[in-house]
Amino acid sequence: MCKSTLLTVAILVGLCVFEVGCTSAEKCQATSMPESLDTQRVTQVAVVVRDVEKAAKGWADLFGVEVPKSSLTDPLEKAHTTYRGRPTQGRAKLVFFKLDNLQLELIEPVGGPSTWREFLETNGEGVHHIAFEVKGTDKYVAMLEKKGMPLVQRGEWTVYTGGCYTYFDSVQKLGVALELLENY
Amino acid sequence: MCKSTLLTVAILVGLCVFEVGCTSAEKCQATSMPESLDTQRVTQVAVVVRDVEKAAKGWADLFGVEVPKSSLTDPLEKAHTTYRGRPTQGRAKLVFFKLDNLQLELIEPVGGPSTWREFLETNGEGVHHIAFEVKGTDKYVAMLEKKGMPLVQRGEWTVYTGGCYTYFDSVQKLGVALELLENY
């Protein structure tokens, strides 16, 4: 390792120790966790409904547009869906409307247990979550859990670029569930 | 009335009769009712909460911003609030977050009956409505009622430019309540 590299490492370690007032690697790593969300752009509002085709017709009629085609979330083998910490066969039939400033998502729960099904059974139809797009999901999961908003469900999608989503139990803190979306 | 004005009126009446195939003033007036919403921009997502100050602190902490000040909707005398067709003393304590692409509204119901209080008592905390901005509220009220989404509450505000809001019972059709906002 050359002298300049050693110097850089020494400065970085010094800054880290100075910043958090600690010397343990574990605590220093925690400084990579953001303190807030870093985005204030709502990318998606998602509504859980009993019948996604019926709701899609209602929205299409409201906007005077064609009814978009529905799709199905990937199966467990592809999506690696976990709900409350355990793998689940829970899936959803989805319809998306690309509105001017955000995506409107309609969700009909199908298959096994999921946060979508839980919402429908507990609340009936309504807005399930609002979503923000991030890069580096795990550091935001850590941030939200530290703020008292635990992870409830996560999964992946393989269409387009692929990506992952995470839902949080944030109703007590914010009045609504949050979703973080990350496109790979 | 000058000749050109008479000619313009004659052309407009002719167009109206041609368009709807009728001559009655009542039916012709109906052509001013739009068939769809004319906007696909969600201007507001609104969350009903039990304690607006507590929820505002949660959102401010999430975004890393200061907690905005709360305000109270105008009293009945100024707001002329009607809920399910009758005047109501129902009011709300509000906090607004100006996000990048829309307004996040937090609503704590106070005072008499209102759609906000009804939502909280029926569903608990959650997204009460999503809002679109329009010009000429009444023609959209007619359009939504025709589509099976009756008016539930309306009222006015006097701050800034002043304006009016209308809420619709659209959960059965769309999965969520709609609000139309009009700034005067």
Side-chain angles (χ1 to χ4, degrees):
Chain A
M1 197 180 282
C2 69
K3 275 184 186 176
S4 63
T5 309
L6 278 170
L7 184 64
T8 307
V9 169
I11 289 169
L12 286 172
V13 169
L15 280 173
C16 184
V17 170
F18 178 76
E19 194 177 351
V20 300
C22 72
T23 53
S24 82
E26 191 185 339
K27 280 190 182 173
C28 288
Q29 273 182 359
T31 58
S32 70
M33 185 178 79
E35 291 194 354
S36 57
L37 199 51
D38 300 335
T39 173
Q40 294 184 29
R41 185 173 187 83
V42 175
T43 54
Q44 192 183 74
V45 174
V47 185
V48 158
V49 294
R50 284 193 184 81
D51 181 341
V52 81
E53 311 286 356
K54 178 174 162 273
K57 277 184 193 163
W59 282 100
D61 183 48
L62 178 73
F63 293 130
V65 298
E66 290 200 3
V67 183
K69 285 186 182 166
S70 65
S71 59
L72 194 63
T73 58
D74 283 326
L76 174 61
E77 300 72 49
K78 274 189 175 180
H80 309 114
T81 318
T82 59
Y83 168 59
R84 300 202 177 278
R86 302 175 69 174
T88 179
Q89 298 282 355
R91 297 172 73 179
K93 206 169 166 185
L94 308 176
V95 168
F96 294 98
F97 285 85
K98 191 182 175 326
L99 304 188
D100 283 358
N101 56 334
L102 55 77
Q103 194 180 47
L104 174 70
E105 180 182 26
L106 305 179
I107 304 174
E108 178 187 329
V110 292
S114 67
T115 176
W116 310 306
R117 183 173 293 285
E118 182 189 355
F119 183 93
L120 189 61
E121 287 172 357
T122 309
N123 300 71
E125 295 182 316
V127 172
H128 173 265
H129 67 260
I130 64 175
F132 296 86
E133 195 173 331
V134 297
K135 285 286 174 199
T137 292
D138 285 343
K139 64 186 177 188
Y140 293 101
V141 173
M143 182 266 284
L144 289 172
E145 293 205 321
K146 192 182 171 196
K147 288 184 191 297
M149 295 176 268
L151 181 73
V152 171
Q153 182 171 318
R154 71 185 303 160
E156 294 165 45
W157 66 88
T158 54
V159 291
Y160 307 113
T161 58
C164 76
Y165 68 82
T166 41
Y167 291 120
F168 299 86
D169 183 359
S170 51
V171 176
Q172 282 220 331
K173 297 277 178 192
L174 308 175
V176 63
L178 288 185
E179 181 183 38
L180 300 183
L181 291 169
E182 179 165 3
N183 286 287
Y184 296 147
Chain B
M1 196 179 281
C2 70
K3 277 183 183 174
S4 63
T5 309
L6 278 170
L7 184 64
T8 307
V9 169
I11 289 170
L12 285 174
V13 169
L15 280 173
C16 184
V17 170
F18 176 77
E19 191 176 352
V20 300
C22 73
T23 53
S24 82
E26 191 185 340
K27 280 191 181 171
C28 288
Q29 274 183 357
T31 58
S32 69
M33 188 178 77
E35 291 193 356
S36 56
L37 199 52
D38 300 336
T39 173
Q40 293 184 29
R41 186 174 186 81
V42 175
T43 55
Q44 193 181 75
V45 174
V47 185
V48 157
V49 294
R50 286 193 182 84
D51 180 342
V52 81
E53 311 287 357
K54 177 174 162 275
K57 275 184 195 164
W59 283 99
D61 182 47
L62 179 71
F63 293 130
V65 299
E66 289 201 3
V67 182
K69 284 185 182 167
S70 66
S71 60
L72 195 62
T73 59
D74 282 327
L76 174 60
E77 300 73 48
K78 276 189 176 180
H80 308 115
T81 317
T82 60
Y83 168 60
R84 301 202 177 279
R86 302 175 69 175
T88 180
Q89 298 283 355
R91 296 172 73 180
K93 205 169 167 185
L94 308 176
V95 168
F96 294 98
F97 285 85
K98 191 181 176 326
L99 304 188
D100 283 358
N101 57 334
L102 53 77
Q103 193 180 48
L104 173 71
E105 181 183 26
L106 306 179
I107 303 174
E108 178 187 328
V110 293
S114 66
T115 177
W116 309 306
R117 183 173 292 286
E118 183 188 354
F119 182 93
L120 189 60
E121 287 171 359
T122 309
N123 301 71
E125 296 181 316
V127 172
H128 173 264
H129 67 260
I130 66 174
F132 295 88
E133 196 173 330
V134 298
K135 285 288 175 196
T137 293
D138 286 342
K139 64 186 180 189
Y140 293 102
V141 173
M143 181 267 282
L144 289 172
E145 293 205 322
K146 192 181 171 196
K147 288 184 191 296
M149 295 176 266
L151 181 73
V152 171
Q153 180 171 319
R154 72 185 302 162
E156 294 166 44
W157 66 89
T158 56
V159 291
Y160 308 114
T161 58
C164 76
Y165 70 81
T166 42
Y167 291 118
F168 299 85
D169 184 359
S170 50
V171 176
Q172 283 219 330
K173 296 278 178 190
L174 309 176
V176 62
L178 287 184
E179 180 183 40
L180 299 183
L181 292 169
E182 180 166 3
N183 287 286
Y184 296 145

